[in-house]
Amino acid sequence: MFSFCTDPASLPQLEWFACYLTTGKHMAFYGSFLVVLLLLLVTAPVALAFGFGGAMAARARFAPLRWFGKGYTAVVRGVPDIAFFMFFVIALDQGIEWLRHKIRCPDWEQPIRQGNDFVVCAQAKMPLSNAAQWVHEAYGFTLAVLTFSIVFGAFAANVLFGAMRAVPRAQVETAEAYGMTHRQAFWRITVPQMWIYALPGLSNLWMILIKATPLLFLLGVEDIVYWARELGGAKTSAYSYPHPDWRLWYFLALLVFYLGLTRVSEIVLGRITARLSHGQATLGGQALRKGAG
Amino acid sequence: MRKFIIATTALALSAGLALAQETVRMGTEGAYPPYNFINDNGEVDGFERELGDELCKRAGLTCEWVTNDWDSIIPNLVSGNYDTIIAGMSITPERDEVIDFTQEYLPPEPSAYVALSPDVDLKGGVIAAQTGTIQAAYIAETGATLVEFATPDETIAAVKNGEADAVLADKSYLDPIVAESGGMLVFAGDPVPLGGGVGMGVRESDTELKEKFNQAISSMKADGTLNALIRKWFGEDAATF
């Protein structure tokens, strides 16, 4: 990074740290913070969409759709996250490769499962083995987003399902009295009003999602926990910057990062709650009315 | 125009196919210096990096390096996330049942105990080792209490902070750590001969790839470059072929 970094062993402390903290490895560490933020930004809306779909399905009058919605929330919420992450990602990855194998290599004769091996033809590999490393990483990241979204979507579905039922029945009855169809009443009355009931549950989920991001590491994405452990470990002179065990400091940095992130989230969520409480028949809405009057 | 598009697509596809068969993804741990580690630029480095690049050159393969946790390094090979394991893995009958090995590129080397003092109880104490290693299997047999860690670095940290009485690992991994500990860490007991040499792991169905690497290793053994590489990374006294 800096011109004086060519011979780290001879540097005084300050310069040594300036060089140490700007190595390629540290840049990857800083980059992984962005990966975590990106994961949160992509996963949250996708999971919310999954949750909305799940909640709508669970309320559906068409029985199989209702079973699907209820089954989705029950199964995913009931399985430990780690087990789901491990199983689902491997199963999904192999499922995709199996499908591609069936389409692209119809005249392949060997079995796909040979003992322990899962063997598909080279063209069916996902991503292709000659793809650049970033393609592999992007694919892993996408799988991670999808898995996170399915897990958190199930919890969001349950929250939204409850929120939809918490909208006072009288509101929907009034809508029906005005001649709105079932669908119109749902989209114009229930959905706009349900968010205030959903928010406490959803904000909880957001916090848990933030704290669950280190699971990325389990999915093979090199996230901040991976780099903190790798950088913090004691280094001998095989490395340019030998140092003793510094994991404590690296994990302390992670702690500060996560606390900062949750603190900012709390402030933002507090503002959203105040905004959504306007004109609602809830305690928060009542307080706003009194304050205004 | 359409013919031209079809022709170029076909060309691109066949080029893709040809490439697809020649790119080999090399899986390693990246946390076991001097065998393999991630250097300060964030790239895989070490004895196995240099060896692997040379083997790929001799076998005419394009190689791409990938790191994976030691814990899941065999399952991820078997499910096709990469094509080889080159991570200081000793050839053992248990592993050989699940995957195949090339011939050894490092002769068998002893493991050693490292502790805070040379007279710790190695038979009845608490001994640290990395999960899924030959050392972990050995400790379980000696009657000592085994504590396992996911990375080799954590096994050393456990000894330093008193969580374990000693650590058992490959001697060549421990040598620089003991030398640079300023007298804090010492070797305890006698070195233990374990394992049957280090080889590259490949899927059992990948016999063609295994043969290519076997030939490349043989050629490096024959012209002495492998021995030179071993001496470079493991010191002049290292066991060679």
Side-chain angles (χ1 to χ4, degrees):
Chain A
M1 183 81 181
F2 302 111
S3 54
F4 53 82
C5 290
T6 40
D7 184 18
S10 65
L11 289 173
Q13 203 163 23
L14 194 67
E15 280 87 350
W16 190 89
F17 269 103
C19 296
Y20 174 67
L21 291 174
T22 50
T23 56
K25 214 169 171 180
H26 273 86
M27 290 303 165
F29 178 51
Y30 306 140
S32 63
F33 282 91
L34 297 181
V35 170
V36 169
L37 292 178
L38 184 68
L39 176 90
L40 286 169
L41 288 182
V42 178
T43 306
V46 177
L48 196 61
F50 276 33
F52 199 85
M56 275 175 67
R59 279 167 54 96
R61 277 175 293 183
F62 178 56
L65 193 58
R66 191 168 63 238
W67 295 332
F68 170 75
K70 299 249 187 205
Y72 165 54
T73 50
V75 170
V76 177
R77 289 196 321 144
V79 177
D81 282 2
I82 290 190
F84 191 80
F85 272 82
M86 294 302 215
F87 166 79
F88 186 76
V89 171
I90 295 173
L92 186 69
D93 187 35
Q94 294 197 348
I96 291 174
E97 290 194 343
W98 181 81
L99 272 181
R100 283 166 59 95
H101 179 84
K102 288 281 165 207
I103 295 165
R104 299 201 168 190
C105 312
D107 38 349
W108 181 270
E109 278 161 13
Q110 293 157 339
I112 291 182
R113 289 215 172 270
Q114 300 177 19
N116 292 302
D117 299 3
F118 181 83
V119 185
V120 293
C121 60
Q123 301 96 293
K125 285 270 188 201
M126 185 75 186
L128 293 174
S129 57
N130 64 328
Q133 183 58 21
W134 72 266
V135 177
H136 286 269
E137 278 164 20
Y139 177 68
F141 182 79
T142 312
L143 281 186
V145 167
L146 191 61
T147 325
F148 267 107
S149 300
I150 289 176
V151 171
F152 282 86
F155 286 93
N158 207 44
V159 170
L160 292 177
F161 181 73
M164 286 171 187
R165 300 176 73 146
V167 174
R169 172 73 192 137
Q171 297 275 343
V172 181
E173 257 168 26
T174 312
E176 280 161 1
Y178 271 95
M180 288 190 195
T181 62
H182 195 78
R183 176 188 294 249
Q184 282 173 327
F186 176 73
W187 283 108
R188 295 182 189 179
I189 307 298
T190 312
V191 172
Q193 296 197 56
M194 74 174 185
W195 295 108
I196 187 61
Y197 302 103
L199 204 58
L202 291 181
S203 63
N204 240 346
L205 277 183
W206 169 254
M207 293 295 188
I208 298 172
L209 176 63
I210 292 178
K211 297 200 302 170
T213 48
L215 284 174
L216 272 178
F217 179 47
L218 277 182
L219 303 180
V221 178
E222 289 172 352
D223 78 321
I224 48 181
V225 179
Y226 167 83
W227 284 114
R229 197 173 75 170
E230 169 62 34
L231 286 163
K235 298 282 180 292
T236 62
S237 49
Y239 298 85
S240 321
Y241 299 88
H243 62 75
D245 193 345
W246 281 352
R247 280 178 301 170
L248 191 66
W249 304 110
Y250 280 93
F251 284 115
L252 188 68
L254 294 200
L255 193 125
V256 171
F257 169 71
Y258 276 112
L259 271 180
L261 200 56
T262 46
R263 184 74 197 116
V264 171
S265 308
E266 273 176 358
I267 294 170
V268 172
L269 288 166
R271 292 209 177 144
I272 298 177
T273 313
R275 203 189 162 86
L276 287 176
S277 294
H278 275 292
Q280 289 287 348
T282 58
L283 270 182
Q286 200 74 14
L288 280 176
R289 248 192 309 282
K290 282 187 182 150
Chain B
M1 189 63 201
R2 174 173 290 171
K3 254 191 188 149
F4 173 72
I5 293 175
I6 293 174
T8 38
T9 331
L11 198 69
L13 274 178
S14 54
L17 283 186
L19 272 175
Q21 280 143 6
E22 282 171 19
T23 308
V24 174
R25 286 167 61 78
M26 311 278 273
T28 190
E29 185 193 11
Y32 204 54
Y35 292 82
N36 56 78
F37 60 95
I38 298 172
N39 67 15
D40 290 285
N41 290 323
E43 287 157 3
V44 176
D45 201 342
F47 166 72
E48 277 159 342
R49 172 68 201 251
E50 222 173 299
L51 171 73
D53 283 347
E54 179 64 27
L55 290 179
C56 290
K57 208 172 91 191
R58 293 190 183 208
L61 305 162
T62 319
C63 290
E64 178 116 36
W65 288 83
V66 206
T67 51
N68 196 89
D69 265 2
W70 177 257
D71 265 12
S72 56
I73 205 163
I74 290 181
N76 275 327
L77 171 75
V78 167
S79 65
N81 288 1
Y82 36 81
D83 306 304
T84 67
I85 296 175
I86 172 162
M89 187 178 272
S90 299
I91 302 167
T92 65
E94 293 80 25
R95 288 177 183 147
D96 212 3
E97 274 172 25
V98 186
I99 58 176
D100 263 1
F101 283 98
T102 62
Q103 59 168 309
E104 51 187 46
Y105 57 75
L106 270 180
E109 63 152 349
S111 299
Y113 289 100
V114 160
L116 295 176
S117 83
D119 48 334
V120 292
D121 180 8
L122 298 174
K123 292 274 175 276
V126 178
I127 313 289
Q130 192 182 6
T131 315
T133 55
I134 48 175
Q135 288 86 8
Y138 173 78
I139 296 166
E141 282 170 21
T142 59
T145 309
L146 168 68
V147 276
E148 292 182 299
F149 293 91
T151 61
D153 175 57
E154 285 166 301
T155 61
I156 308 291
V159 174
K160 283 185 180 168
N161 65 26
E163 203 178 328
D165 297 327
V167 51
L168 182 63
D170 287 319
K171 191 162 180 300
S172 53
Y173 169 70
L174 296 170
D175 275 333
I177 294 173
V178 171
E180 291 176 28
S181 70
M184 184 188 182
L185 296 171
V186 288
F187 283 107
D190 296 322
V192 193
L194 286 181
V198 174
M200 271 170 90
V202 293
R203 280 183 293 274
E204 294 199 315
S205 47
D206 246 351
T207 41
E208 200 184 326
L209 186 67
K210 188 173 90 175
E211 276 322 304
K212 279 186 186 167
F213 277 117
N214 269 337
Q215 279 168 16
I217 295 172
S218 296
S219 88
M220 281 187 77
K221 277 180 178 169
D223 65 12
T225 44
L226 183 57
N227 284 344
L229 206 56
I230 294 174
R231 278 194 212 97
K232 175 185 169 192
W233 285 96
F234 296 97
E236 289 299 323
D237 313 329
T240 52
F241 290 102

